[in-house]
Amino acid sequence: MQPLLAHLDAIDTVLKSTDATDLTALADIHSRFESVLLLAEQATGLSPGQMAQLSVRGQDARRKLEELILNEANDALAHLKAVQTAATDIAAMLNGHPAAEMQAAPADHFELAQQAAAEAPADFAESFPAAAHVFNADDLPLVGEFVAEAGTHLETAETELLRLEEDPGNLEAIGALFRAFHTIKGVSGFLNLNQIQSLAHAAENLLDLGREGKLKITGAASELVLQAIDLMKKLIGAVDEAAKANHPLQPTAGVKELSARLNTLADRVIKGEHVQDDPTNATATTGSAAEAIETPGEPAKLKIASSDNTVKVATDRLDTLINMVGELVIANSMVTQDAAGHLAQNQRLSRHIGHMGKIVRDLQDLSMSLRMVPVNAVFRKMTRLVRDVARKAGKEVDLIIAGADTELDRNVVEALNDPLMHMVRNSLDHGIETPDQREAAGKPRTGKLELKAYHKGGSINIEIVDDGRGLPRDKILAKARTNGLIGPDETPSDAEIYKLVFAAGLSTAEKVTDISGRGVGMDVVKRNIEAMRGRVDIATEKGHGSVFTIRLPLTLAVIDGLVVKVGPSKYILPITSIEQSMRPTDEQLSTVQNRGEIVNVRGAILPLVRLHRLFDITPRTENPTDSIVVIVQDNDRRVCLLVDELLGQEQVVIKSLGEDIGEIRGVSGGAVLGDGNVSLILDVPGIIEMSH
């Protein structure tokens, strides 16, 4: 009876501190009533009459909870009170003191309860039929919310489980793991997602032993829970696809088997058996071994942090808001430009337009901040990747994360996942050596892989740093010549050689493995990062490791730009790339044979790039001394762009050029200016590449 009473006590505790709007708490209570009914069916010592009474009260409480969650209750407070009364009455009955109103149940309720008890299988994991689930149209909005929240819970669970591998006694991590599965079980049960509920329940039972201090979640236990997380992700993905396509949800293989293994391990720990730890296949067998699962001492109390008051908003609504604010910025620029000729004569109009401009800028800054999210979400996924790849490759690696709270545009963070995964995988496979190799080279047996994020100028930098063997310069050069990427007589610089790792099909691996080696991936990395208006730089030292630096814009939507004119055309240069502008003198200009024109800027020799030649435009003049040069920089590279005139600074909304136009070298997008005309936004790194 103890597990039943524990659930009822938890229900009473949660009810005393919640209200009818707390859906997470209501789902928790609903899940616990499910557990009460299931445990009661398997309990011994209950008479048929008691079973019927318990079933009637439990089913009635469950229905009232469902009405509360669906917002269908006419009197929410009365519903909550009825649920609490049901929990109290059931607890009283189990303690041998049946409540007065429970002495006799209506005949029809008694028959229904007897029938339900007779039909219910004894094993929770076997109690769900492997049949397709058809979604109710009314449930689809709840399914969407469930998928989003379950994904967050599973990410948390994975992170906390990896924390436990480093600190097996961390009860806060165990508590977070337990709550993640418990919440998923509650909501999935309400939505009749039986396979998810079954697996979550089995994992929750095992983790509950960890919360009670009866089991350390390490070794086989950790592997089983990790497998449950992976299978749960697959189940959640199947729910999402089926709901979006409005198709029946087909059962997923492996749920029954994994649930059984989780339950078997939990049962053996409960019985006090010594369990042999077998992390290879994550099964548990009776016996004794030096890796025996530990039974820790008395657990400490868990501290549960309260969450901030937040409102969830669908991403499509947020994107629509951002787009509308962008259009408002454009409209404000148009109004301001049209009224420019009247502002000197009308101070009232000037004041109002200035006030409107400030409000628009503040609104734009606020709306853009709504899209900013920490890179922590994508960094956490790398923790699992490093663990799995290192184990598969037989390496020992410590992952160090810095700057995980650095914020970046949500769309950039989502697009960053795949490139970062490829680069981390390559660092682990090609960069960091095996423990024996590191020891022979005088290094610690455990390698280090660092993920760093930080702001620099108007960009965010993400570094992947390893202390491995470094990039093999000679191997890359030889493979590039074999593949025809470099001619036999060419002598590229080291920086140019290292950039060849991003060429398609180029790999220096000795053999192809299931980790890497086919030369596929790094070319995709470069293409995906450039699609985000970013770039990748490489620094490496033989025997000491490599640093891959991804530089990305803070946001994909808005930039501050300098509008320049070349002939009849206007272009926009990102302010963050501009160093200064000047009118050159004859003494500063010269020509180097086979190297083109250069400008001497305070002793620095910089290439002169004529934009009118790059874009095939007729300039106002070709004499640089009658024009303006804008010095732009990309990291340590600088060039002088020759333009006819500077038209001023403007905040612009970046627009895609569209699939029909496609990519244009040296151009990152377009923007509508205050005069209503469309101008191209120049890609400074791309232009510097073109100039070389």
Side-chain angles (χ1 to χ4, degrees), residues 198-326:
S198 170
L199 182 58
H201 181 78
E204 176 192 56
N205 283 344
L206 189 66
L207 291 168
D208 202 28
L209 295 172
R211 290 203 313 164
E212 294 173 0
K214 298 176 181 177
L215 171 69
K216 280 194 174 181
I217 310 299
T218 57
S222 176
E223 286 293 334
L224 280 174
V225 176
L226 199 56
Q227 289 179 26
I229 292 172
D230 289 341
L231 185 52
M232 192 72 77
K233 288 179 181 178
K234 187 176 180 181
L235 290 166
I236 299 296
V239 169
D240 190 32
E241 291 179 9
K244 287 178 178 176
N246 199 21
H247 290 161
L249 174 63
Q250 300 297 331
T252 300
V255 176
K256 176 180 174 181
E257 293 77 10
L258 183 54
S259 298
R261 281 192 283 158
L262 287 160
N263 287 331
T264 298
L265 182 57
D267 289 342
R268 288 178 173 172
V269 173
I270 290 172
K271 292 175 182 176
E273 295 182 9
H274 290 288
V275 182
Q276 183 175 340
D277 198 1
D278 183 4
T280 303
N281 58 15
T283 59
T285 57
T286 304
S288 61
E291 289 188 329
I293 288 186
E294 302 173 68
T295 303
E298 188 69 21
K301 292 183 178 179
L302 294 177
K303 293 186 288 184
I304 303 175
S306 60
S307 58
D308 296 329
N309 294 326
T310 57
V311 176
K312 293 184 178 179
V313 180
T315 54
D316 57 346
R317 291 188 178 184
L318 184 60
D319 290 340
T320 301
L321 172 65
I322 300 296
N323 290 335
M324 292 183 69
V325 171

Side-chain angles (χ1 to χ4, degrees), residues 445-478:
R445 290 180 62 84
T446 301
K448 286 186 180 179
L449 182 67
E450 297 181 64
L451 289 179
K452 302 178 182 178
Y454 56 91
H455 290 287
K456 186 175 182 180
S459 303
I460 182 173
N461 287 7
I462 296 176
E463 292 184 359
I464 303 97
V465 185
D466 69 69
D467 67 345
R469 57 174 62 94
L471 292 180
R473 178 191 181 280
D474 296 336
K475 281 188 178 181
I476 296 172
L477 182 58

Side-chain angles (χ1 to χ4, degrees), residues 58-116:
Q59 296 286 3
D60 181 61
R62 190 172 61 175
R63 281 194 297 272
K64 283 184 165 55
L65 284 165
E66 291 172 0
E67 290 174 2
L68 284 169
I69 293 172
L70 290 173
N71 199 24
E72 294 176 351
N74 295 326
D75 189 340
L77 292 178
H79 271 54
L80 275 180
K81 182 65 177 175
V83 171
Q84 190 161 24
T85 300
T88 303
D89 289 345
I90 293 172
M93 182 190 69
L94 294 175
N95 281 313
H97 305 289
E101 63 270 26
M102 293 182 64
Q103 296 299 323
D108 56 341
H109 282 183
F110 180 81
E111 291 171 3
L112 288 172
Q114 290 283 63
Q115 181 182 356

